[in-house]
Each structure stands twice: as structure tokens, then as C-alpha cells.
Amino acid sequence: MDGSSEAFKEKRRSEGEPAPAVSLTQEAVGKIRNLLEEDGRTDLKLRVYVTGGGCAGFQYNFAFDEKMEEDDFAIESGGVTLLVDPRSLPFLAGAQIGYEEDLGGARFVVVNPNAASTCSCGSSFSTCSKTEE
């Protein structure tokens, strides 16, 4: 990404501890806001979570959610809220979430310092690299 990201104000809903830094580009904030306004659902929050699968081992997932769980990390930026569950947070610490539109389509993208490798489409990643001895 191009450094046009806005640092999130970080809050942990329970325990009062700050979450590891996650940032969101201005393009992602704008797209989230537009999607919510188009749907007339400005109460929704974007949830990002990591699951097993994809071609590289772990997969990024995005969904709009009405409910914030008690142990979610809520990260606010530009009038939108990003939710991250505690299981996904270690995989996303320090990540930057952006939005891209190109000939291949439109999608949210994650630039993740914890990913040792990613698939070519960018939707899955692994956290350890395979080395030969």
C-alpha cells in the first residue's frame, strides 16, 4: 500500500488493553462507508477473521456483522468500525487492510507482516516458510 493509511484508534472491549496495531487505507474506509450507506445499514461493522484453508494454509475472510462479541477488538477509523476476534488477532497484528479495483476484480486486500508467504490472489497465507536443509 502507499502509506495513505490512517492508524486506527485501538480498543479492546474487555480488559481495557490495546490491540496490536492494525491499519486501514483511506480506500478501504471509503469503500466500507459506501457499502454501508448503499445498504442503508450504517450500524453494521466489518469483521475480518482468519480461518484454516485456502491454497497457502490460512485464509482471510470479511463479513458485515451487526453484533460485537464481548471479546472482540473494535478498531474505529473514519467513521467505520472493524471487528477482529481474539483468535484471528495474532495473525493480523500489524496488518494493513486496503481495497483495490483492477481488471481482476474488486476486493479487500491484506498486507500482513506475519505472512511468510501468500497465494497469488492474496486471499490466503502461511505463517511459516518451508526451508530445505
Side-chain angles (χ1 to χ4, degrees):
M1 300 287 140
D2 62 4
S4 64
S5 67
E6 176 180 331
F8 279 119
K9 293 188 289 180
E10 300 163 353
K11 295 190 284 187
R12 182 166 183 175
R13 185 175 164 111
S14 61
E15 301 177 30
E17 297 176 10
V22 177
S23 62
L24 192 79
T25 64
Q26 292 174 359
E27 292 82 10
V29 169
K31 184 61 177 181
I32 295 165
R33 195 172 330 148
N34 287 343
L35 289 170
L36 294 175
E37 289 171 358
E38 286 175 8
D39 237 13
R41 295 290 312 266
T42 56
D43 61 318
L44 295 177
K45 296 147 187 59
L46 181 66
R47 180 176 295 281
V48 59
Y49 57 101
V50 174
T51 58
C55 51
F58 294 102
Q59 188 167 0
Y60 301 113
N61 298 279
F62 296 90
F64 284 107
D65 201 339
E66 294 176 343
K67 186 177 179 189
M68 178 176 170
E69 300 298 329
E70 188 171 313
D71 59 352
D72 280 341
F73 289 86
I75 305 160
E76 299 174 10
S77 180
V80 300
T81 302
L82 181 72
L83 300 177
V84 182
D85 66 82
R87 290 181 66 193
S88 299
L89 192 62
F91 295 105
L92 296 167
Q96 182 181 57
I97 299 171
Y99 182 78
E100 293 180 351
E101 290 184 31
D102 57 26
L103 292 175
R107 64 197 163 278
F108 287 102
V109 295
V110 180
V111 176
N112 188 345
N114 304 301
S117 63
T118 60
C119 67
S120 61
C121 68
S123 66
S124 68
F125 68 101
S126 70
T127 58
C128 60
S129 58
K130 297 178 183 176
T131 57
E132 292 191 31
E133 298 182 23

